[in-house]
Amino acid sequence: MKFAAALLCLVTPTIFAASDYPVQPVPFTQVRLTGGLLANRQATNAAVTMPFALEQCESSGRIKNFDLAAEVMRRRAAGETNFQIKPPTQYPFDDTDVYKAIEGAAFCLSVKPDSALQAKLETIIKRVAAAQEPDGYLYTFRTMHPDSPGHGWINQQRWLNDPKLSHELYDLGHLYESGYAHFRATGSRSLLDICLKNAALLEKDFGDHQLRIAPGHEIIEMGLAKLYRQTGNTNWLDLAKFFLDNRGHGGEYSQDNKPVVEQDKAVGHAVRANYLYSGMADVAALTGDERYLNAITKIWENVVGTKLHLTGGCGARASGEAYGNDYELPHRCYNETCAAVAFLFWNHRMFLMTGDAKYMDVFERSLYNGVLSGVSLSGDKFFYPNPLEYDGSAKNNHGFAGRAPWFGCACCPPNVLRTLASLGDYVYATQGDKLFVNLYAQGEATANVAGNKVKLEQTTSYPWDGAIKLRVTPEKPGKFTLSLRIPCWVEGHPLPSDLYTYDDATPAKWTLQVNGKNVSFTQSRSSGRESAQTESQDSQSRLTSAATAEISNGFAVITREWKSGDEITLDLPMPVRRVAGNPKVAATKNQVALERGPIVYAFEGVDNNGAVFDAVLPTSATIKAEHRADFLGGVTVLNITDAQRVALNDSSKLASKPTRLTAIPYSVWANRGLSPMAVWLARDAATARPIRPTTLASQAKVTVSFVRDGMSIVPINDQLVPENFTDGFAPNFDFWPHKGTSEWINYEFVKPAKVSSVHVSWFDDTGTGECRVPVSWRVVYRDANNQWQSVANASEYVIKKREPVRVTFDAVTTKALRLEIQLPKDFSAGIYEWEVE
């Protein structure tokens, strides 16, 4: 396909796709949030996060990559050959941060026009265009080094390393998403033209299906689907389907283990997985091929039924940033922000395909907890992982050190930017004469319902209060159906699965009024569905004789003749709910979490005398909600009395005493510095983790022979071993990616100490990673001459996985002790804890 032909298809923002999702979102350009939590976060996103992200892309060198790629092409065209230009950034996918920042800024423009911002984006887009090679190829790292790539992830031939690490197609997927959004928001074709020129190259290189590549990091499928929607050119849809169908010849990490239509469980890198499932939904909708929908429905049920954290976060494992096994949901999990963002995309698409509210129920959980947690209230600090437990140290075993202004791998900040800027896309949707209300947030919108222009005005303090008023103003009186989502938490279920349950699952008594008259719902014996009848003849006359009301697919459905000024009042009570995990989730055994409405709560040390792991929340505790308008941006907190603190007495036995606790919304934790945090608390003293007395080891200064970026040495002497956790997932240190080498760990004591034994718990992640127990190990000490000596008469150096092993030796007085460790061939090794006596 010729580039010029592609451009001929593009004349207006009209969507050309002949078939698409049965339910269509009311475009973000027609929705404006005017108050409340989401509006406030969106305003901070536009005022702070967006300019901050653009500046970071500039100052970090990400935009400069495009300038340097353009310079390389100019110098080569002038005949220069003996020169080398090194990218100023680290990763070949750094281009995508620029694309996502442009996309987010474009969404911001749709909310609030800004000529200066629009001009700035056009300037950046010109720099992007200058880096595009004449045939359409756009990938700055390779353009800088086409003959001898300067990065080990890049092959000398285009595309061949994409299934591994080059991210060429991943870059383009984000480019296409950005170009589509920029055009929708501004009407400018400057970035979309770049996309179409590049897509024509993809058609040239892949259109004959001879070069069969399964993209290593998915998202190109979503981007191509959007180009198809915009232009109607079936080449782009065919390519999206082609890339999906190439899978099934690799490993689980990039979901290449089976053909996509045969996959039934979420596996591998969670961000890649959720982007893949979103792309499959797009292709299913656009082609009508139900095999893709059947597959992602099974996968979705696997995630929501066995692999979703309470906060809506995805990806339990830091190793591979991956989904774990069924019911593997450790509190010290990874849960990358990007995975939660991608999970929103997937759930929204499932709703658009089916019209079922359960997908928006899960969307809401992830949005208010797993996504909003990814950015600070100030808008300029971010989370990469989003654990459900944090020890408060400067760095834990996932390299977590609270919120950061930016990252070397900075995929998350601009992903949050574009998501919050486009929140309007998810509030309402239509299908023929049906209008869906998916999210509750104060604002205004205009929707086209069966040709009738309908203005919507929503007034609410949701999610802090469940009272919602919706004024409906059609351009002309007319009959249509209004569907209001009744969240599953109202009905007594945290999720549409049994992964989590409420201790008290009694459904809340929600109410619905139309023009001030109650609508009551009665169970139909014949159909098992609920239909509604008004409480009075006067109310019935307002609904008209043809009006119906029922519960369908999680929505309260009202069909009637609507006219200007009609008002709906929905009240969703928000009792505080105690949550239990499925018995198969070892991490939540004998523990409890708290929710109110869609909000998951967390306990932060700064509110609870500096500690949280020693707290117990018994059934006898009293919990009261209190809204604090001047606290953490205005949130509802939970004040708890008659809770307990557990401590070790002089006999090392557990002792409890009464205490008060405060819980805050999970999404706003870590906005006041480093502090311990926990979502799940013990139900009794035996499950709590009391503060332990300091030991010789816990006070020692730790040094190691090697530590990779992001790995912390804190776990080595944090006094936590697998037996301290109901699922055995204690923090660990490991030497990965070193393999087969000799390594060491040192303890430097405050003053000379007499020692005669050590306890060591070895880390081994067989089945999930590349760490194994060591081949051998020994203890040495530093003598008076500052030389390392072997301890004398050591007992057997036993090697076991997880279980602490003890080695005794002749007592020595020393200021330093060392473990010398031999890593196995082709594998690394690690440690949970090293104790000294």
Side-chain angles (χ1 to χ4, degrees), residues 318-319 332-334 387 389-391 393-401 708-716 718 729-734 763 831-832:
S319 176
R332 300 197 179 194
C333 51
Y334 200 71
E389 180 176 297
Y390 171 54
D391 61 13
S393 63
K395 275 194 178 182
N396 69 6
N397 61 314
H398 293 163
F400 185 88
R708 68 180 180 273
D709 184 36
M711 171 54 71
S712 172
I713 61 176
V714 169
I716 295 172
D718 64 0
F729 280 89
N732 71 276
F733 165 82
D734 62 70
F763 171 73
I831 189 172
Y832 285 113

Side-chain angles (χ1 to χ4, degrees), residues 26 95 124 144 223 244 305 482 513 570 674 698 798:
V26 174
D95 293 355
I124 296 172
M144 287 183 243
L244 289 179
L482 192 64
Q513 293 183 333
L570 176 64
L674 302 179
S698 70
V798 177

Side-chain angles (χ1 to χ4, degrees), residues 351-373:
F351 161 72
L352 296 178
M353 185 71 81
T354 65
D356 197 319
K358 67 183 181 182
Y359 299 111
M360 292 308 297
D361 288 343
V362 178
F363 178 103
E364 178 181 65
R365 175 171 295 272
S366 292
L367 172 63
Y368 280 113
N369 303 289
V371 172
L372 287 185
S373 64

Side-chain angles (χ1 to χ4, degrees), residues 441-455:
Q442 183 154 311
E444 302 171 350
T446 302
N448 188 316
V449 185
N452 195 353
K453 187 177 180 181
V454 180
K455 182 179 179 182

Side-chain angles (χ1 to χ4, degrees), residues 86 100 103 112 165 206 215 260 294 303 305 331 348 428 454 485 514-515 524 539 597 746 756 758 796:
K86 183 179 179 181
K100 284 181 284 188
E103 181 181 358
K112 183 179 179 181
L165 290 168
F206 292 99
V260 293
N294 292 338
V303 173
H331 303 332
H348 189 234
Y428 301 100
V454 180
R485 183 175 62 91
V514 176
N515 296 323
S524 171
S539 177
N746 281 359
S756 58
V758 298
E796 181 183 0

Side-chain angles (χ1 to χ4, degrees), residues 24 46 149 199 207 231 293 318 386 687 767:
Q24 286 290 304
T231 67
L293 177 60
N386 293 266
T687 310

Side-chain angles (χ1 to χ4, degrees), residues 223-245:
L224 284 165
K226 287 183 176 176
L227 290 189
Y228 166 66
R229 284 194 182 94
Q230 193 58 63
T231 67
N233 190 309
T234 57
N235 286 338
W236 314 146
L237 179 57
D238 291 344
L239 276 176
K241 187 176 185 301
F242 170 71
F243 286 132
L244 289 179
D245 293 343

